[in-house]
Amino acid sequence: MAEKNDVVFVDGVRTPFGRAGEKGQYWNTRADDLVVKAMIGLLERNPQVPKDRIDDVAIAATTQQGDQGLTLGRTAAILAGLPKSVPGFAIDRMCAGAMTSVTTLGSGIAFGAYDLAIAGGVEHMGRHPMGFGADPNPRFLSEKMVAEDALNMGMTAERIHDRFPALTKERSDRFAMRSQHKLAAAYEAGRIQPDLVPVAIRSESGWGLATQDEGMRPETTLEGLATLKTPFRPHGRVTAGNSSPLTDGATASLLASSDVVKEFGLTPKMRMVSFAFAGVEPEIMGLGPVPSTEKALRKAGLGIDDIGLFELNEAFAIQVLSFLDHFGIDDEDPRVNTWGGAIAIGHPLAASGVRLMIQLAAQFAEHPEVRYGITAMCVGLGQGGTVIWENPTYDKRAARKG
Ligand SMILES: CC(C)(COP(=O)(O)OP(=O)(O)OC[C@H]1O[C@@H](n2cnc3c(N)ncnc32)[C@H](O)[C@@H]1OP(=O)(O)O)[C@@H](O)C(=O)NCCC(=O)NCCS
């Protein structure tokens, strides 16, 4: 039996994210074209990688119909110009689709089946509204397997507020506002743009270029957030301001074994340490990252205090706060979502997992004193996913100084 190979995240890119719907920048853009664009951008950034050496392509989408159907990994590989000898497939774990693309192909690399692989995801929530065409088995409700509102993500977020009264709307709003301000600061400092692949877009006024995330609201204030409606429940606490918005976008990443990294002179941005998925009651799905993180930490032999950077998907502010409270981390801990999160950037469901990794990798490069980082997210129907990463630029001396 061969030893497990080291799995590294060589690089990752994404399209700028767009607001879903008719007024959004990608309304006239196909979903598959978004992920193809990201893949082409990724390959162009890594010209030393021979395309015919890519062993597999996994692309996730939650709604696998129309321009998100037909085994996306294979169709996107052909459209992106990979040789026909490169296979591909589609993945679905709702919001953790791209994360599951990475862990699935990463496992193949660790096993020795793959040397190089492309993992990503896409969700065009404008063209494919959440839950569209789904036909949940009636037994879910008739046999009371899940609560009636378990498939309404906003309701699951309201239920976390119910369960933890200390997590107030004011805390959610403050967390959401900070996400907007942190993203604005990161853009201002030019930290987000290097990993974006611009996309040509067509609108009534002609052709244009999408170069930045469209949903940003840098002017957000607590006072403004306090006035917003609560669409999921009368007098609720979850609003458009403290939720991730409906979003279109795609991500793509290049994974490799450490042997191939040497062969092609690649510079890995992260090493995969461990990963885990876990389930919770579907009606409080936002708590999912708690058990998945505990499991991933256990598998890595690490504790939460070993983690120097956290990229937590902000499906809802309340859901991230429940994670932070569980682990005793302050709402404003500077290690958490340092450059803002999904509330400001957007959350194109099955694409977001790799967006978290792109952002963590970029921060690792700036923080040689940090050895480990986490990417984690909640998943519909009561799941959580976590991947723990090691920083290849980690320097013990920098850590001591820090
Ligand atoms: C919450 C949700 C229903 C809101 O949808 P929406 O009403 O189309 O959202 P909008 O962007 O139009 O925002 C609604 C209003 O809030 C305002 N708003 C949103 N964010 C704001 C902010 N940060 N500051 C001030 N106002 C804000 C908008 O301007 C808009 O105002 P208007 O009605 O006067 O135009 C939708 O974003 C949603 O379902 N999010 C969750 C997605 C999800 O479940 N993902 C999966 C997670 S597991």
Side-chain angles (χ1 to χ4, degrees):
M1 179 75 190
E3 290 216 340
K4 187 164 77 96
N5 294 315
D6 260 356
V7 181
V8 298
F9 180 97
V10 177
D11 198 9
V13 297
R14 65 178 176 94
T15 66
F17 288 173
R19 280 189 193 177
E22 277 178 51
K23 294 195 188 121
Q25 58 189 6
Y26 297 132
W27 181 244
N28 293 315
T29 307
R30 289 176 61 99
D32 50 5
D33 282 340
L34 285 179
V35 72
V36 165
K37 189 75 201 166
M39 285 168 62
I40 292 172
L42 180 71
L43 292 165
E44 282 177 358
R45 257 173 48 152
N46 294 277
Q48 65 278 54
V49 173
K51 291 181 181 163
D52 60 354
R53 287 289 302 273
I54 292 166
D55 292 302
D56 218 340
V57 176
I59 301 298
T62 307
T63 304
Q64 300 200 359
Q65 290 175 344
D67 58 354
Q68 288 189 176
L70 215 65
T71 312
L72 264 177
R74 176 63 174 163
T75 51
I78 295 173
L79 290 162
L82 287 171
K84 308 257 174 25
S85 56
V86 177
F89 63 110
I91 288 238
D92 173 26
R93 198 200 294 268
M94 298 191 197
C95 299
M99 177 177 274
T100 306
S101 300
V102 167
T103 56
T104 303
L105 294 183
S107 304
I109 292 171
F111 181 70
Y114 305 138
D115 292 327
L116 282 164
I118 291 180
V122 60
E123 205 79 45
H124 198 306
M125 296 176 79
R127 282 171 172 250
H128 303 278
M130 266 193 299
F132 181 76
D135 177 18
N137 194 302
R139 289 206 298 123
F140 277 126
L141 296 186
S142 62
E143 296 179 22
K144 297 193 170 32
M145 288 179 188
V146 301
E148 202 165 345
D149 51 23
L151 281 174
N152 179 329
M153 297 302 121
M155 276 305 300
T156 68
E158 289 283 2
R159 279 174 181 262
I160 299 183
H161 271 295
D162 296 342
R163 187 173 286 216
F164 302 109
L167 304 180
T168 58
K169 176 171 187 295
E170 201 274 338
R171 276 174 75 181
S172 275
D173 282 351
R174 187 175 295 278
F175 185 87
M177 178 187 71
R178 291 191 72 250
S179 182
Q180 298 284 1
H181 295 174
K182 286 188 285 185
L183 179 66
Y187 260 98
E188 183 76 23
R191 289 185 156 117
I192 303 290
Q193 297 89 330
D195 295 319
L196 299 183
V197 179
V199 179
I201 45 172
R202 193 162 41 89
S203 68
E204 276 166 17
S205 52
W207 284 94
L209 198 62
T211 56
Q212 63 175 36
D213 299 315
E214 197 183 16
M216 297 189 277
R217 294 176 186 270
E219 71 293 345
T220 299
T221 61
L222 279 182
E223 295 70 31
L225 289 174
T227 63
L228 297 181
K229 286 188 241 143
T230 57
F232 302 107
R233 187 196 271 181
H235 311 296
R237 286 140 294 188
V238 180
T239 69
N242 60 32
S243 309
S244 61
L246 306 171
T247 310
D248 307 328
T251 57
S253 66
L254 180 65
L255 307 175
S257 73
S258 47
D259 288 350
V260 177
V261 160
K262 282 185 221 123
E263 185 182 341
F264 298 121
L266 301 167
T267 310
K269 293 184 169 175
M270 308 199 282
R271 185 181 75 84
M272 192 185 282
V273 178
S274 72
F275 69 83
F277 295 93
V280 293
E281 288 297 324
E283 55 265 34
I284 43 147
M285 70 94 208
L287 289 183
V290 169
S292 63
T293 299
E294 286 175 336
K295 200 166 165 186
L297 285 168
R298 211 163 47 240
K299 290 203 178 280
L302 296 172
I304 198 77
D305 295 337
D306 294 313
I307 305 303
L309 286 167
F310 293 82
E311 277 299 321
L312 308 175
N313 194 47
E314 298 168 355
F316 300 94
I318 181 63
Q319 161 273 315
V320 180
L321 291 176
S322 68
F323 177 99
L324 297 179
D325 257 27
H326 176 86
F327 288 108
I329 300 169
D330 189 77
D331 295 5
E332 301 194 7
D333 191 307
R335 296 171 300 168
V336 177
N337 296 358
T338 315
W339 297 349
I343 289 170
I345 299 166
H347 173 26
L349 311 179
S352 289
V354 166
R355 198 275 300 161
L356 300 173
M357 293 166 198
I358 292 168
Q359 234 155 285
L360 180 62
Q363 288 171 77
F364 269 172
E366 286 194 9
H367 290 281
E369 79 286 5
V370 170
R371 182 159 187 192
Y372 298 109
I374 265 184
T375 49
M377 59 205 309
C378 60
V379 187
L381 263 183
Q383 299 185 72
T386 302
V387 188
I388 300 181
W389 301 93
E390 186 176 18
N391 183 359
T393 71
Y394 171 65
D395 174 352
K396 267 191 205 152
R397 279 166 308 176
R400 271 200 294 274
K401 271 191 224 144

